[in-house]
Amino acid sequence: MKNLVVFTGAGMSAESGINTFRDAGGLWEQYPVEQVATPEGYAANPELVINFYNERRKQLLTVQPNDGHRGVAEWEKDFRVTVITQNVDNLHERAGSHHVIHLHGELTKVCSSRNPNDPRYIKELKPEEYEVHLGDKAGDGTQLRPFIVWFGESVPRMDEAVAAVEQADILVVIGTSLNVYPAAGLLYYARPETKIFLIDPKPNLAGGMPHVHVIAKGASEGVKELTETLKELR
Ligand code: APR
């Protein structure tokens, strides 16, 4: 089986009803990013940040995977698929994808405030525990913090993602503005012979990527269209 790597951003989940970050009405228009998505913001007002992610978690309970997520999961029938996502939702998993690398963390998990990446203190929350409070403690006695990679923090799973892209026969990028590094740099690790597709209604491709096949459509429609093309590439 060929290796198919799918690299997704907020646009992947837009049709499920989760706002993107940088489109009009996006999350970063409603909440100052430096307050809710940086270590400095968390240090200044942990309660605000904890509540912000409580809200995101609650929203997760009200949304469903869309046809795009489901189509990506179906590709596992014909390819060895690795999903690399910048999204912190769990919609790829819920649609049936088995190998998902979350570059920017996971909403359903919490961790230590001192050592966010220490596996001993990373905990998956059950839906009934989705509301975290100031004073709730991780295993090391520090405040339970959202397991989210904030701006200015390192991206611990980047090496794993790079290794997957280097092995990709086909790379499909879906619904990301490719603004945020290091994630956006993943495309450059593809080998020259790797076939690259981009599904996005407003594709934002910087120069230097001449061999990208652009499908300027939303995730569901674009995945459906690409599924036909992929049948020829198995
Ligand atoms: N289908 C596919 N793509 C869509 C759709 C849709 N229905 N609707 C919008 N898009 C596209 C937009 O055109 C845009 O290119 O999704 C992209 C969303 O871009 P951003 O909001 O910048 O989201 P993303 O690229 O995932 O952001 C990266 O930034 O704030 C951080 O950590 C956060 O992981 C996030 C990172």
Side-chain angles (χ1 to χ4, degrees), residues 57-186:
R57 253 179 239 115
K58 260 189 238 164
Q59 183 187 32
L60 206 51
L61 294 172
T62 69
V63 298
Q64 301 298 331
N66 62 56
D67 284 346
H69 296 104
R70 282 189 281 270
V72 167
E74 290 277 312
W75 291 342
E76 291 187 10
K77 286 185 186 152
D78 294 316
F79 297 94
R80 202 176 299 121
V81 179
T82 303
V83 176
I84 302 169
T85 187
Q86 298 167 89
N87 299 344
V88 296
D89 66 52
N90 56 4
L91 296 179
H92 279 299
E93 289 89 341
R94 282 163 57 189
S97 284
H98 289 95
H99 186 200
V100 184
I101 300 174
H102 283 273
L103 281 182
H104 294 161
E106 294 169 71
L107 265 182
T108 56
K109 294 184 179 170
V110 285
C111 59
S112 149
S113 286
R114 190 185 306 128
N115 299 303
N117 298 303
D118 187 327
R120 287 175 298 172
Y121 309 125
I122 297 171
K123 186 179 120 181
E124 172 103 34
L125 296 174
K126 298 188 190 81
E128 60 272 21
E129 303 168 323
Y130 272 8
E131 190 157 306
V132 173
H133 301 100
L134 198 61
D136 292 350
K137 299 270 194 287
D140 63 351
T142 63
Q143 171 66 43
L144 266 190
R145 94 164 230 185
F147 183 58
I148 301 288
V149 177
W150 287 323
F151 285 96
E153 296 189 310
S154 65
V155 180
R157 299 193 73 181
M158 192 63 192
D159 290 350
E160 213 181 320
V162 166
V165 172
E166 284 173 343
Q167 300 296 317
D169 298 299
I170 302 167
L171 172 63
V172 181
V173 182
I174 308 175
T176 170
S177 65
L178 297 169
N179 268 309
V180 174
Y181 284 81
L186 273 179

Side-chain angles (χ1 to χ4, degrees), residues 10 19-38 52-53 56 88 104 148-151 177 179-180:
N19 281 357
T20 61
F21 297 99
R22 294 175 184 78
D23 290 301
L27 217 49
W28 296 152
E29 219 173 77
Q30 302 169 46
Y31 303 90
V33 53
E34 57 283 355
Q35 278 180 25
V36 297
T38 63
F52 173 77
Y53 289 99
R56 308 272 77 72
V88 296
H104 294 161
I148 301 288
V149 177
W150 287 323
F151 285 96
S177 65
N179 268 309
V180 174

